[in-house]
Amino acid sequence: MHTTEIKKVLVANRGEIAVRIFRACYDLGLHTVAIYSNEDTYSLFRTRADEAYLVGEKKSPLGAYLDIPGIIGLARRRGVTAIHPGYGFLSENSTFAKLCRDNDIVFIGPTPEVIDRMGNKSQARRTMMDAGVPVVPGTKKGIHDVDVALEQARTIGWPIMIKASSGGGGKGMRVSESEEDFADMFNIAQRESVNAFGDNTMYLERAVQNPRHVEVQIIADNHGNVVALGERDCSVQRNHQKMIEESPSPLLDADEGLRRRMMDDAVKAARAVGYTSAGTIEFLMDAERNYYFMEMNTRIQVEHCVTEMVTHTDLVGEMIRVAAGEPLSFTQDDIVLRGHAIECRINAETPEKNFMPSPGTISQMHLPGGNGVRVDTAAYDGFEISPYYDSMIAKIIVQGRNRTEAIAKMRTALEEMVIVGVNTNLDFQYAIMENETFRAGLADTGFIEQFLAGEV
């Protein structure tokens, strides 16, 4: 690796993704720097870096990791040459990416201009329309006024999905079933958007009923190369948050033509915005297997592991190489999906109490292992699950020769995992693996609600 620009990498994140990035850096012979909040003083991830520094000492637990001036200042003082933002926090913050560039620090991700272009959901829709990528029927421009929105909704037809233009993670999103509830749903979603993103710009889409959520992982370099690394099915969700991810999608497994069209459209989308680094093109697929662009995530994602498993690639390492100016180490012809991989997110929560978070101290923890089993975590015996951060404890990823074998391996892995001291969703995830609808590959985005209601 020609690391003329990248020698010392700061990870502007915490937890398992920070550990994951440190591993990739060590494989490439790079020096690493961790940052941590007061609340993370005893966290594992900070010990996995060559250097670790407290940030945001007088800020809130979340504010510490969002302290852009503090992080940039620390990076400059410590001779950091590159910053990897991971996911969440500052990963899609164009201001942070631009300040890195202005301070001669490589941002391991796309350019701030591309982050802005794809972060604005209504602008991203227009870009995809112009590029010929299929999109859900809806508005092309952002809307601020409820009366204007209602007029547009009458043209599109109900049910209508109301979305925040700057949104993500299910925030600022509501479904209107009819004209009667539209104004209320629009106002609620708009208030959420203002509170979460400081932006009251909304857009409308025809709601695709109980769709499948199928996304394509792409990576692009600065030499004009763009590669699609197959698809992931992320349809098992709760409140628009993914719970289980798998690759390949059960819907596409026997339809190579459909897979190729989706991958081609994902590459087309990336090229349309001059994308570089790793990113994900997210599609919704209806019952007739028509697919529509939903959004682009301009970062590495929690579920990148299943793609790594079935393609035998290192996406995080590839991001670093691309940021250093190197061409991709593989071509599209090198990408072959081998077997089937499934990922379950293990959270500290109580499913029977509406998935209420369960902070506390893990008194005992045993991780599963064996052939085709991977666990990404930053937890350990005695680790405190903080109430201030995401409740995810670990990700279990398994790979089998086919989907049936992968499900069997996941059941075994879930049985083997032991977590004492906090409540978890281990039993809930196991029950999903046992469910006939999931095992048949038929789970859509309404599956969890039906599962909880005993309907599947």
Side-chain angles (χ1 to χ4, degrees):
M1 177 177 179
H2 304 294
T3 53
T4 52
E5 288 185 295
I6 299 181
K7 295 180 181 178
K8 191 173 186 178
V9 178
L10 183 149
V11 177
N13 217 298
R14 64 181 299 277
E16 60 86 19
I17 188 59
V19 173
R20 170 69 186 90
I21 297 166
F22 292 145
R23 287 192 186 120
C25 290
Y26 293 146
D27 289 345
L28 295 170
L30 302 175
H31 198 84
T32 56
V33 178
I35 59 171
Y36 63 94
S37 66
N38 282 305
E39 290 72 19
D40 275 334
T41 297
Y42 299 105
S43 292
L44 175 73
F45 75 89
R46 59 163 291 197
T47 70
R48 292 296 184 261
D50 298 312
E51 304 173 33
Y53 301 101
L54 178 68
V55 293
E57 190 171 3
K58 296 181 180 180
K59 293 185 177 292
S60 69
L62 288 175
Y65 293 101
L66 299 173
D67 182 9
I68 293 177
I71 294 170
I72 294 290
L74 172 65
R76 287 177 57 110
R77 291 193 303 274
R78 299 301 173 181
V80 167
T81 55
I83 294 179
H84 197 308
Y87 56 73
F89 292 128
L90 297 171
S91 61
E92 294 179 284
N93 188 305
S94 61
T95 300
F96 182 59
K98 185 176 185 301
L99 280 173
C100 286
R101 185 172 64 189
D102 291 346
N103 284 275
D104 296 322
I105 299 169
V106 176
F107 180 79
I108 302 176
T111 66
E113 291 78 17
V114 168
I115 293 174
D116 270 340
R117 198 174 305 144
M118 300 311 289
N120 184 302
K121 301 302 188 281
S122 55
Q123 183 177 351
R125 276 176 55 83
R126 292 196 301 272
T127 301
M128 294 303 108
M129 290 177 186
D130 294 340
V133 177
V135 300
V136 180
T139 54
K140 196 169 183 178
K141 296 181 179 179
I143 303 172
H144 301 86
D145 182 76
V146 64
D147 293 327
V148 173
L150 181 57
E151 289 300 315
Q152 295 285 336
R154 288 172 178 149
T155 301
I156 297 167
W158 276 269
I160 290 279
M161 183 70 77
I162 304 165
K163 292 185 176 182
S165 186
S166 299
K171 297 183 178 69
M173 183 186 301
R174 284 292 185 277
V175 176
S176 168
E177 299 290 348
S178 66
E179 185 166 337
E180 285 68 34
D181 71 4
F182 181 83
D184 287 341
M185 293 298 102
F186 184 90
N187 289 330
I188 292 170
Q190 192 172 49
R191 283 197 297 271
E192 286 184 357
S193 178
V194 171
N195 292 335
F197 312 110
D199 185 359
N200 72 345
T201 309
M202 312 299 291
Y203 69 101
L204 309 178
E205 288 179 350
R206 170 75 65 81
V208 181
Q209 294 297 292
N210 294 328
R212 295 294 287 265
H213 184 127
V214 182
E215 60 189 31
V216 177
Q217 175 72 57
I218 62 97
I219 191 163
D221 61 24
N222 294 290
H223 304 273
N225 303 305
V226 184
V227 172
L229 294 96
E231 82 284 355
R232 298 186 289 257
D233 198 308
C234 306
S235 301
V236 180
Q237 303 181 8
R238 180 178 170 273
N239 292 338
H240 306 291
Q241 296 291 324
K242 301 164 188 173
M243 293 181 63
I244 296 173
E245 300 93 2
E246 55 185 309
S247 182
S249 167
L251 276 184
L252 276 65
D253 208 18
D255 194 338
E256 196 58 41
L258 179 56
R259 172 177 292 119
R260 175 50 55 191
R261 290 195 299 276
M262 290 189 77
M263 290 173 66
D264 286 347
D265 277 331
V267 169
K268 188 187 299 182
R271 290 193 185 281
V273 294
Y275 197 83
T276 55
S277 194
T280 304
I281 310 297
E282 303 203 2
F283 294 104
L284 292 179
M285 183 175 290
D286 64 21
E288 286 73 43
R289 297 195 181 189
N290 300 306
Y291 61 89
Y292 307 98
F293 170 84
M294 183 174 68
E295 64 182 3
M296 182 177 194
N297 288 304
T298 55
R299 53 175 167 78
I300 198 72
Q301 287 191 267
V302 179
E303 60 271 20
H304 74 277
C305 315
V306 292
T307 295
E308 291 184 328
M309 294 284 268
V310 296
T311 59
H312 294 189
T313 55
D314 176 355
L315 286 169
V316 176
E318 202 70 15
M319 289 178 75
I320 297 169
R321 286 188 285 267
V322 165
E326 294 191 14
L328 292 175
S329 65
F330 46 77
T331 68
Q332 190 66 66
D333 290 340
D334 295 324
I335 302 302
V336 178
L337 304 186
R338 297 174 174 88
H340 197 99
I342 299 176
E343 174 180 302
C344 282
R345 304 187 190 193
I346 308 306
N347 299 327
E349 60 189 12
T350 309
E352 58 269 27
K353 293 185 178 179
N354 196 30
F355 298 86
M356 182 174 68
S358 177
T361 301
I362 296 176
S363 58
Q364 183 181 354
M365 183 174 180
H366 172 75
L367 302 180
N371 181 33
V373 178
R374 167 179 168 180
V375 180
D376 282 18
T377 186
Y380 54 88
D381 288 3
F383 178 70
E384 183 178 352
I385 303 294
S386 170
Y388 305 112
Y389 303 113
D390 185 89
S391 65
M392 189 170 70
I393 300 171
K395 303 182 304 194
I396 303 177
I397 310 100
V398 301
Q399 182 181 23
R401 290 172 296 177
N402 51 52
R403 189 170 187 266
T404 300
E405 186 175 287
I407 290 174
K409 283 192 177 185
M410 182 59 78
R411 288 172 60 223
T412 301
L414 291 167
E415 284 181 324
E416 287 182 3
M417 192 168 195
V418 175
I419 301 174
V420 179
V422 296
N423 296 327
T424 73
N425 64 339
L426 274 168
D427 289 344
F428 187 83
Q429 294 282 38
Y430 186 89
I432 292 176
M433 293 298 122
E434 292 275 86
N435 180 265
E436 291 183 4
T437 298
F438 176 79
R439 293 169 70 88
L442 301 176
D444 56 32
T445 54
F447 168 76
I448 291 297
E449 287 72 20
Q450 295 170 334
F451 182 79
L452 290 169
E455 298 172 1
V456 293

